[in-house]
Amino acid sequence: MEMTEMTGVSLKRGSVAVEDNDSVAPGEAKRQKVSECCPTKGQDGLENNSLPSSEKVPGPPKTAREGKKSSDPQLEEEEEEEEDGLSEEGEEEEEAESFANMMKHGLTELDVGITKFVSSHQGFSGILKERYSDFVVHEIGKDGRISHLSDLSVPVDEEDPSEDVFTVLTAEEKQRLEELQLFKNKETSVAIEVIEDTKEKRTVIHQAIKSLFPGLETKTEDREGKKYIVAYHAAGKKALANPRKHSWPKSRGSYCHFVLYKENKDTMDAINLLSKYLRVKPNIFSYMGTKDKRAITVQEIAVLKITAQRLAHLNKCLMNFKLGNFSYQKNPLKLGELQGNHFTVVLRNITGTDDQVEQAMNSLKEIGFINYYGMQRFGTTAVPTYQVGRAILQNSWAEVMDLILKPRSGAEKGYLVKCREEWAKTKDPAAALRKLPVKRCVEGQLLRGLSKYGLKNIVSAFGIIPRNNRLMYIHSYQSYVWNNMVSKRIEEYGLSPVPGDLVLKGAAAACIEEDDVNNYSIHDVVMPLPGFDVIYPQHKISEAYREMLTADNLDIDNMRHKIRDYSLSGAYRKIIIRPQNVSWEVVTYDDPKIPLFNTDVDNLEGKPPPVFASAEGRYRALKMDFSLPPSTYATMAIREVLKMDTSIKNQTQLNTTWLR
């Protein structure tokens, strides 16, 4: 298949858009002060996520954080880590050049098998600018309904306590109660004096403690003529994990479902933050899909036995979050139940003519794009995640350790560079660990494991890393193989089904017979991710799979690993995806900083939609809307439209002085 000319896209640093469930777009966080209603700790909730550092794309230069630092030493440590990346505006251009130099060592699409296009139109360039408002993701539920934040009201419920529960306790009393609840001191109870004693006032204090601090019970005591409300633990340390059963009305569904609108937080970070403010365990939340950090995303969340009233109160406390569309339901949400996600994407300053744009978008609508795994699947540094995955599958544990910990070229924070240098020099895990201010990155977790189990038990040391992060490496290798094989399949056979291709019949795959070819289209064809429970196409590509795995010292006929977690069963993935609900328009504008469409929050606040310049505007932008199924990458759809290399390495070479 002939390759069309590849043109460029200019993106700001760290502005890669990702997977439909993990879609990323760059952005600017709105700042706001945290209300007194919130816990005194972790004021703005900034936390480093737990992905491997090699997966983290360095973010945009940040402005100094408003407000005081947290009183929590651990959170202070996290905040200091965030502040390592602070930069004065005057240094932005220099920093951009430095970042571009570091990314010379990063991956290109060619490195991970992304080489083909399906369309014949001429490519053009555009800017996916580093604004949240240029990349918005709305979850599509199992009923096909697109999630929107459209209502902030709380369902009327006579069982809810009065709003006074949020203000009756002082900050100092909340602090003492939280320390009691979390067993942070030796006290067995906390006594709160009732000022201006009335029965109504005592009732509100009882309600406030029980609803805001799950696991605590209360009683009223007389002490020297004064009334006190005494809080104490009801059921030991397990109380925090289990909301109080007797306080929940039987007529009300056990789960409060709500729509979460968030900016610049991935789903797990968002849930961890919500659980911190609600003082509950994160495992009482459920959701259908995870959404990555660099975007405005809108999705449904469910939480066990937390009232809509308490959740709505967080809207006064949290920045870059809004919760709404509350309802009570009998059941939680289940991972994977979503139909997909709907994207609204703006590509600014496009160079393509109206005819080029029409050709590109019509091709996306009618044919689609190759369902490659996007660049973010493979990491951003000189050591791709698929190499670690390959070493795990080869049982080469010394190589796994070396790949994760060795010094590398590329974009990394200074303390990680020092940690790697220490490791290379001493091979002393404790000494290298001391170079890390925050230990939760993969490097820190592995070093902690090596300190505990020793250098001769790397398997157990590696096992300290959370399971999902460990599996990410081998899934990255599967994705690497799949991308390369799909490129070979399209080069060999083009965009029509051929005998020997695979199609799904129910959950199983079957080969297309010669006399059956005309009953299928390219949109039916799937290809396997390698594993012990899949079949391979019955044509040349089957041998290509075998050759690739053999070259990597792996046996395609034995994909079971002696450690069960690392045994690959395999899966099937469609090779071409045709987006649904595709629409687009080209708009002209003069101010490069203005949003080009309203978000859900803009609409709730009554902001008028943007007014565009006349046809003579200084800039042109392509606004795209489309829906994708789960586990497909929006960047690959954008790549097909622009005919660009979506790697950060290529983007930084194209544009090292980013526009504002």
Side-chain angles (χ1 to χ4, degrees):
M1 179 177 177
E2 189 174 335
M3 288 285 289
T4 321
E5 179 188 357
M6 183 181 289
T7 60
V9 68
S10 301
L11 278 84
K12 279 197 176 183
R13 173 174 145 198
S15 60
V16 181
V18 298
E19 196 166 350
D20 75 330
N21 287 350
D22 305 281
S23 304
V24 214
E28 308 158 337
K30 297 174 185 174
R31 314 300 296 174
Q32 71 185 50
K33 290 185 179 178
V34 178
S35 158
E36 278 297 312
C37 66
C38 295
T40 55
K41 298 188 178 183
Q43 179 157 314
D44 62 0
L46 282 173
E47 289 188 50
N48 223 20
N49 65 31
S50 58
L51 287 176
S53 67
S54 55
E55 279 293 271
K56 293 178 185 174
V57 180
K62 300 182 177 80
T63 55
R65 183 178 291 107
E66 285 185 12
K68 295 179 181 178
K69 268 197 173 183
S70 164
S71 59
D72 187 322
Q74 183 183 356
L75 288 173
E76 278 187 15
E77 187 179 71
E78 292 164 8
E79 289 171 350
E80 283 164 9
E81 179 186 358
E82 292 280 344
E83 286 168 0
D84 283 347
L86 298 184
S87 169
E88 295 299 324
E89 289 183 9
E91 299 169 3
E92 189 167 311
E93 187 170 326
E94 183 181 339
E95 187 174 303
E97 293 287 352
S98 169
F99 181 73
N101 287 334
M102 288 192 291
M103 287 316 300
K104 287 177 183 175
H105 306 281
L107 295 171
T108 65
E109 290 185 344
L110 187 63
D111 296 326
V112 294
I114 300 172
T115 60
K116 301 297 180 186
F117 295 95
V118 300
S119 56
S120 58
H121 73 272
Q122 184 181 350
F124 53 92
S125 66
I127 301 170
L128 180 55
K129 192 166 181 180
E130 191 153 87
R131 300 180 61 93
Y132 291 132
S133 55
D134 281 354
F135 202 102
V136 180
V137 188
H138 290 266
E139 187 174 73
I140 305 172
K142 61 181 178 180
D143 57 359
R145 185 175 48 83
I146 297 176
S147 289
H148 281 279
L149 183 75
S150 57
D151 183 4
L152 300 181
S153 66
V154 176
V156 177
D157 193 329
E158 293 178 0
E159 300 279 354
D160 285 337
S162 76
E163 284 289 317
D164 292 342
V165 298
F166 298 107
T167 57
V168 70
L169 298 171
T170 67
E172 187 269 339
E173 288 167 345
K174 287 180 181 178
Q175 178 79 26
R176 290 172 59 209
L177 288 163
E178 183 174 6
E179 289 173 356
L180 173 69
Q181 182 205 29
L182 300 177
F183 300 93
K184 286 189 175 180
N185 56 30
K186 295 180 180 178
E187 289 185 62
T188 57
S189 65
V190 167
I192 294 171
E193 184 181 354
V194 185
I195 310 296
E196 301 171 6
D197 177 37
T198 63
K199 184 177 181 182
E200 290 74 17
K201 180 78 174 284
R202 294 197 302 273
T203 299
V204 169
I205 295 174
H206 283 293
Q207 290 175 333
I209 294 171
K210 290 174 181 177
S211 62
L212 299 181
F213 300 92
L216 296 185
E217 285 290 354
T218 57
K219 58 186 177 184
T220 304
E221 287 186 2
D222 281 304
R223 297 183 183 178
E224 300 175 354
K226 295 179 180 178
K227 283 278 199 297
Y228 287 85
I229 307 295
V230 179
Y232 59 96
H233 274 283
K237 291 192 176 184
K238 291 183 179 179
L240 184 60
N242 302 305
R244 301 170 69 252
K245 293 179 181 177
H246 61 272
S247 64
W248 195 262
K250 290 182 180 178
S251 59
R252 180 197 282 166
S254 293
Y255 295 88
C256 185
H257 287 228
F258 61 95
V259 169
L260 173 66
Y261 169 105
K262 64 180 179 63
E263 300 178 4
N264 201 35
K265 280 279 185 204
D266 68 28
T267 301
M268 282 314 303
D269 280 346
I271 284 174
N272 286 336
L273 188 59
L274 294 176
S275 63
K276 183 184 298 180
Y277 279 103
L278 293 166
R279 303 179 181 90
V280 295
K281 291 286 182 69
N283 62 5
I284 69 170
F285 290 86
S286 57
Y287 48 88
M288 294 182 287
T290 58
K291 308 284 179 277
D292 255 358
K293 184 175 181 179
R294 296 180 185 277
I296 290 176
T297 69
V298 183
Q299 69 182 114
E300 191 172 350
I301 305 285
V303 61
L304 175 65
K305 293 185 179 178
I306 299 290
T307 64
Q309 181 188 34
R310 283 190 70 193
L311 292 167
H313 199 65
L314 296 178
N315 286 333
K316 301 174 184 177
C317 308
L318 295 172
M319 65 185 75
N320 306 328
F321 286 81
K322 283 288 181 193
L323 287 63
N325 297 79
F326 302 103
S327 65
Y328 292 107
Q329 309 285 342
K330 292 181 180 178
N331 299 309
L333 295 168
K334 291 183 180 177
L335 200 61
E337 279 190 335
L338 74 170
Q339 277 193 20
N341 291 276
H342 184 79
F343 297 86
T344 304
V345 178
V346 167
L347 301 172
R348 292 177 182 253
N349 206 17
I350 58 169
T351 61
T353 65
D354 286 350
D355 280 347
Q356 282 177 288
V357 171
E358 284 295 305
Q359 286 178 32
M361 293 306 300
N362 276 314
S363 174
L364 184 69
K365 183 177 181 178
E366 292 164 14
I367 302 174
F369 62 96
I370 303 171
N371 193 19
Y372 287 124
Y373 288 94
M375 295 302 298
Q376 60 277 20
R377 187 84 165 185
F378 305 104
T380 60
T381 67
V383 179
T385 51
Y386 74 81
Q387 291 183 4
V388 181
R390 179 169 56 202
I392 294 169
L393 294 173
Q394 292 169 340
N395 227 24
S396 302
W397 291 100
E399 186 182 356
V400 171
M401 177 178 69
D402 186 51
L403 286 168
I404 293 174
L405 296 178
K406 72 179 181 180
R408 59 183 68 178
S409 304
E412 287 202 307
K413 290 185 175 177
Y415 59 76
L416 261 175
V417 174
K418 291 175 184 174
C419 168
R420 295 187 191 286
E421 289 171 350
E422 181 68 29
W423 171 255
K425 185 170 65 178
T426 66
K427 289 293 188 286
D428 180 345
L433 192 60
R434 284 194 291 272
K435 301 290 184 182
L436 291 178
V438 174
K439 322 294 188 204
R440 290 182 303 164
C441 59
V442 160
E443 291 81 0
Q445 289 162 334
L446 178 56
L447 288 167
R448 201 171 77 244
L450 291 169
S451 297
K452 180 175 181 180
Y453 294 106
L455 299 183
K456 293 184 178 178
N457 193 353
I458 301 169
V459 174
S460 296
F462 185 71
I464 278 188
I465 298 169
R467 183 174 183 271
N468 284 350
N469 288 351
R470 285 183 278 124
L471 297 185
M472 176 201 69
Y473 290 117
I474 58 174
H475 292 159
S476 176
Y477 178 73
Q478 285 181 301
S479 306
Y480 169 71
V481 172
W482 194 91
N483 279 0
N484 278 278
M485 292 300 99
V486 166
S487 291
K488 282 186 180 294
R489 158 65 183 77
I490 290 173
E491 182 172 351
E492 189 72 34
Y493 299 113
L495 292 175
S496 298
V498 298
D501 273 338
L502 300 180
V503 291
L504 288 179
K505 294 186 175 179
C511 280
I512 301 178
E513 302 293 338
E514 191 155 358
D515 56 2
D516 215 16
V517 167
N518 293 334
N519 293 329
Y520 296 102
S521 79
I522 194 66
H523 298 100
D524 299 312
V525 176
V526 298
M527 286 183 61
L529 285 91
F532 61 76
D533 198 26
V534 294
I535 62 171
Y536 293 88
Q538 291 183 5
H539 48 49
K540 288 182 182 179
I541 305 306
S542 178
E543 189 55 34
Y545 271 97
R546 184 174 295 276
E547 288 172 1
M548 186 171 184
L549 267 70
T550 300
D552 285 341
N553 294 315
L554 295 172
D555 182 357
I556 197 170
D557 299 316
N558 182 18
M559 297 300 289
R560 294 186 188 274
H561 196 282
K562 64 181 184 181
I563 301 171
R564 187 176 177 183
D565 263 0
Y566 309 135
S567 290
L568 293 178
S569 60
Y572 300 101
R573 181 176 175 88
K574 288 197 171 185
I575 68 172
I576 303 291
I577 291 291
R578 184 162 46 195
Q580 302 298 305
N581 308 311
V582 178
S583 64
W584 67 92
E585 65 174 320
V586 175
V587 297
T588 58
Y589 59 101
D590 288 318
D591 183 353
K593 296 180 182 178
I594 64 164
L596 297 184
F597 60 91
N598 275 5
T599 65
D600 286 357
V601 168
D602 292 334
N603 292 332
L604 277 170
E605 292 174 351
K607 289 185 180 176
V611 177
F612 300 118
S614 64
E616 286 74 40
R618 289 174 62 198
Y619 307 105
R620 293 164 69 243
L622 171 59
K623 176 175 173 282
M624 309 162 57
D625 276 272
F626 53 91
S627 300
L628 294 177
S631 299
T632 52
Y633 286 71
T635 32
M636 295 296 100
I638 295 167
R639 169 186 181 271
E640 186 68 42
V641 169
L642 295 177
K643 295 289 180 73
M644 70 175 188
D645 182 331
T646 57
S647 67
I648 298 176
K649 176 176 180 177
N650 184 62
Q651 292 157 13
T652 51
Q653 288 169 348
L654 286 167
N655 185 18
T656 57
T657 305
W658 290 293
L659 303 178
R660 288 184 169 182

